Amino acid sequence: MISDLPENIRKTALILLKLGEATAEDIARITGRKRSTESYYLNLMADMNLVKKKKVGRKIYFIFNGKD
């Protein structure tokens, strides 16, 4: 399923897969893109049910669903 994603979102997905669990800020530090951009991509993946969100305090962590 990751291979079907556009390149920009696939980069975010692969980093999340490597980290296991991350915030948009964590991923932005690695990609060099803005946190808002990574947040947008992660939320798109959440809308596609690829990832789930876990809120811890004020931070939102994204985790792959594990279905695929």
Side-chain angles (χ1 to χ4, degrees), residues 1-48:
M1 188 82 172
I2 292 176
S3 60
D4 297 333
L5 295 171
E7 178 62 31
N8 53 347
I9 299 174
R10 185 171 41 239
K11 183 176 182 178
T12 299
L14 290 172
I15 291 169
L16 180 59
L17 189 62
K18 182 179 178 183
L19 296 176
E21 176 179 299
T23 65
E25 187 175 346
D26 296 334
I27 294 175
R29 269 191 238 114
I30 295 169
T31 64
R33 298 187 285 209
K34 294 181 180 181
R35 183 208 50 82
S36 59
T37 300
E38 295 303 344
S39 180
Y40 177 74
Y41 294 156
L42 289 162
N43 280 300
L44 281 177
M45 289 191 291
D47 291 344
M48 292 186 278

Side-chain angles (χ1 to χ4, degrees), residues 53-61:
K53 300 178 188 182
K54 178 176 84 171
K55 189 168 183 174
V56 178
R58 296 183 66 177
K59 293 189 176 202
I60 298 175
Y61 289 85

